[in-house]
């Protein structure tokens, strides 16, 4: 299986089952859509931001079919202007490279530095899909198992209306 051995070990430890989909590199939602056809899951768009001071980092998880208004999220977070985090920051805090952003990267955030904001609409989904720390595969897990994963990471997370 492609992806993070650390992630797969944790999912096994937490008794979280998943459906594994291997596919060619899919660094964008537009590319990934062609590989998700026929799978019963809500696919997610994952964006990694930093605040204007560069001392806070945020992972924003959206329904892939929706657009996010960055100005709206800036107002909700009250952290000033947000910008996409650099490749170096992405590697430092999540152990990920561009095009592979996923909440599963939180397995690499031992200090729980990254705060996570989830699209409230995803609460309606039964199953969610994310890359397993590499963009040549996708994992589908139940929403309940995803919440157990998030609770295990101890990163702060909050459900918000993001658009």
């Amino acid at each position: 299986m492609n992806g993070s051995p650390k992630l797969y070990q944790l999912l096994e430890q937490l008794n979280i089952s998943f459906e594994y989909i291997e596919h060619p590199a899919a660094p964008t939602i537009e590319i990934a859509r062609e590989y998700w056809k026929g799978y019963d899951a809500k696919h997610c768009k994952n964006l990694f931001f930093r605040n204007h001071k560069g001392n806070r980092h945020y992972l924003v998880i959206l329904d892939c079919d929706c657009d996010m208004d960055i100005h709206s999220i800036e107002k909700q977070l009250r952290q000033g202007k947000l910008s996409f985090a650099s490749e170096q920051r992405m590697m430092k805090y999540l152990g990920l490279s561009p095009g592979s952003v996923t909440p599963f990267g939180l397995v690499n955030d031992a200090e729980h530095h990254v705060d996570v904001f989830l699209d409230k609409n995803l609460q309606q989904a039964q199953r969610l899909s994310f890359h397993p720390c590499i963009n040549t595969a996708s994992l589908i897990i139940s929403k309940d198992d995803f919440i157990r994963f998030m609770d295990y990471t101890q990163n702060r997370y909050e459900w918000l209306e993001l658009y």
Side-chain angles (χ1 to χ4, degrees), residues 125-156:
Q126 295 299 308
R127 297 179 352 132
L128 301 170
S129 171
F130 306 100
H131 287 312
C133 302
I134 192 165
N135 66 16
T136 55
S138 297
L139 297 184
I140 298 173
I141 66 171
S142 75
K143 180 193 66 203
D144 293 340
D145 282 343
F146 175 67
I147 292 169
R148 280 195 312 121
F149 170 82
M150 289 301 302
D151 289 340
Y152 177 85
T153 69
Q154 298 180 9
N155 289 75
R156 287 177 297 236

Side-chain angles (χ1 to χ4, degrees), residues 47-64:
L47 305 170
F48 189 53
F49 295 105
R50 69 173 187 87
N51 68 353
H52 65 286
K53 293 179 183 177
N55 61 351
R56 302 284 307 267
H57 293 82
Y58 310 99
L59 178 61
V60 178
I61 302 171
L62 302 162
D63 176 332
C64 77

Side-chain angles (χ1 to χ4, degrees), residues 4-142:
S4 165
K6 185 176 181 179
L7 170 64
Y8 294 121
Q9 289 169 351
L10 176 59
L11 294 177
E12 186 176 323
Q13 175 189 329
L14 296 174
N15 200 28
I16 292 177
S17 61
F18 56 86
E19 186 173 352
Y20 175 84
I21 307 164
E22 191 167 335
H23 49 68
T28 66
I29 292 295
E30 292 72 30
I31 294 169
R33 277 185 206 282
E34 70 183 81
Y35 308 117
W36 292 335
K37 291 178 182 168
Y39 289 96
D40 179 28
K42 180 46 74 181
H43 307 292
C44 299
K45 180 186 324 185
N46 307 285
L47 305 170
F48 189 53
F49 295 105
R50 69 173 187 87
N51 68 353
H52 65 286
K53 293 179 183 177
N55 61 351
R56 302 284 307 267
H57 293 82
Y58 310 99
L59 178 61
V60 178
I61 302 171
L62 302 162
D63 176 332
C64 77
D65 294 322
C66 299
D67 292 322
M68 184 192 79
D69 177 355
I70 192 166
H71 300 295
S72 173
I73 192 78
E74 286 172 343
K75 288 177 188 171
Q76 289 185 54
L77 299 182
R78 294 187 176 109
Q79 291 294 315
K81 185 166 175 46
L82 296 178
S83 59
F84 286 102
S86 67
E87 184 175 343
Q88 294 79 13
R89 289 172 188 267
M90 194 179 301
M91 184 56 69
K92 177 179 179 179
Y93 295 109
L94 297 175
L96 301 173
S97 58
S100 299
V101 177
T102 174
F104 291 138
L106 295 170
V107 300
N108 300 311
D109 185 16
E111 296 181 14
H112 319 297
H113 174 80
V114 177
D115 292 334
V116 181
F117 295 93
L118 300 131
D119 176 354
K120 208 173 211 174
N121 291 324
L122 294 174
Q123 290 177 316
Q124 307 307 313
Q126 295 299 308
R127 297 179 352 132
L128 301 170
S129 171
F130 306 100
H131 287 312
C133 302
I134 192 165
N135 66 16
T136 55
S138 297
L139 297 184
I140 298 173
I141 66 171
S142 75

